[in-house]
Every structure is written in structure tokens, then in C-alpha cells.
Amino acid sequence: QPVVTQSSSASASLGSSVKLTCTLSSGHSSYIIAWHQLQPGKAPRYLMKLEGSGRYNKGSGVPDRFSGSSSGADRFLTISNLQSEDEADYYCETWDTNTQVFGTGTKVTVL
Amino acid sequence: EVLLLESGGGLVQPGGSLRLSCAASGFIFTNYAMNWVRQAPGKGLEWVSSISGSGDSTYFAESVKGRFTISRDNSKSTLSLQMSSLRAEDTALYYCAIRDTTVTTNWGQGTLVTVSS
């Protein structure tokens, strides 16, 4: 079963960019992942599905500021032109043998 | 528009039971596997259970295996989670979600389950 690792926190200034990393465990570097945004009091938001090739498919209404990329076992979420409403917890998710696996989440703070 | 509306949460004593429901609309329900995912207070997301589109196959996290049952009624586009032998550590916000092949692509608002005496 894969394990996905995320750093616990990240911060960046309003209007700048931040790049979050989700690392897949050994033997699972080709796996597809999804990125989700969680904010207090709101339903979780699916952001995108991201392949090992770097190709990604965003969810409905997700701003262009959100993009994905990949390198080996690493999957990245880049938020450009950071806005105050982007302050949230971001989780990556993958799947294997009928089990969903979530990372521990990265808390993004907008300075 | 895809909508997932959970209900059935509440306060229950340890050892008790609770049934969660999720009313789905805006998509062809039978075409998608469905997940229950939870988030305990101050914690991250934890997958709880999945069911195939037909309802023939079900899967559970080890933490709930033998205590929780997942089912669906495709004629009514509803998903259910029957929870029994509840423990304090089951306290969480429970989300109904669509699984598109491998990953979750839509979420409900969640329903809160509190297990406490």
C-alpha cells in the first residue's frame, strides 16, 4: 500500500507563489494522485487529478492560479498569485487495491 | 451540478449505533464508486469505506472493519453508512464522496458524529 508524504506547513506572501509537495513511497512513483483543499466550515474541494507524467485535470471552477506538475515520485501543487482565500489545508490522495490513502496535509499560510 | 448531502450525524454513546445517509444528485449515481471519508477534530483526512457502483463490492479501513457497513440504493441515488459499536475515536466529521476510477473528485458538506457519554 502506498504512503504519501507531505510537509506540515508552508507560507508565502500575498501575490507570490507557493509550491507544495506530495511524495509517493518507493514502488509507487507512477501513481496518480489528487489534490484537495480543506477550509474550516466549508466542504472539501477537489482541485485536480495529477499523473506521473505531469498531466493534470482540474475540478470545475478551480482557478487558473492552481497548477500541477510531477517529477519522479514527487507530485506538486503550485499556487500562483497567492490570495488570502487560498489559506487552507491541502491534502494529496492516492489509491491502491481498493484503499484510498491520504497524506497528512500541508497548512498554507498567506503572509 | 453534482450535489452530495449527508445526514444522520449526532451524539451517540460509546457502544451505540448510528446510520449516516448521503443523497446524491447531478450525476449518474450507478456509474461511480462512492467513499466515506472522515476527519476527526484537529486531525487529517481518513478513508473509512468504499462501495462499487453496483454495490457488489465493499471495502473498509482496518479501524472500522467489522463495525461499519456500507450500502447504496441506486434506485434512490443514496449512500449509507451503518456504524455500530461506536468508540470515542470514531468522533469525526463524515464526508460522502465520489470516487472517479481511483481518486475522490467530489465531496459533500459532511455530517458530524460525536461519540461520548
Side-chain angles (χ1 to χ4, degrees), chain B residues 86-97:
Chain B
L86 283 162
R87 308 165 179 165
E89 53 265 36
D90 295 317
T91 294
L93 194 53
Y94 283 74
Y95 296 104
C96 162

Side-chain angles (χ1 to χ4, degrees), chain B residues 42-116:
Chain B
K43 303 292 185 182
L45 295 173
E46 179 190 16
W47 170 72
V48 173
S49 181
S50 296
I51 186 167
S52 63
S54 66
D56 290 346
S57 301
T58 60
Y59 310 94
F60 299 92
E62 284 298 323
S63 57
V64 306
K65 199 173 288 186
R67 300 187 298 121
F68 289 13
T69 303
I70 190 172
S71 60
R72 63 192 295 160
D73 184 339
N74 285 344
S75 68
K76 296 180 180 178
S77 296
T78 58
L79 175 72
S80 297
L81 185 70
Q82 178 68 45
M83 305 184 294
S84 59
S85 302
L86 283 162
R87 308 165 179 165
E89 53 265 36
D90 295 317
T91 294
L93 194 53
Y94 283 74
Y95 296 104
C96 162
I98 298 170
R99 193 186 85 203
D100 185 359
T101 309
T102 55
V103 293
T104 302
T105 54
N106 297 82
W107 298 83
Q109 290 272 3
T111 187
L112 182 62
V113 172
T114 303
V115 184
S116 174

Side-chain angles (χ1 to χ4, degrees), chain A residues 32-84:
Chain A
I32 291 170
I33 71 137
W35 282 104
H36 304 281
Q37 179 192 61
L38 269 74
Q39 295 176 314
K42 292 186 177 181
R45 185 183 194 183
Y46 163 71
L47 296 176
M48 67 181 67
K49 183 186 293 188
L50 175 59
E51 299 177 11
S53 63
R55 189 172 79 167
Y56 62 94
N57 254 318
K58 292 199 292 187
S60 174
V62 175
D64 292 342
R65 305 183 288 103
F66 291 83
S67 62
S69 58
S70 297
S71 176
D74 291 331
R75 305 286 183 268
F76 305 104
L77 174 69
T78 300
I79 312 173
S80 305
N81 187 20
L82 201 60
Q83 301 296 302
S84 56

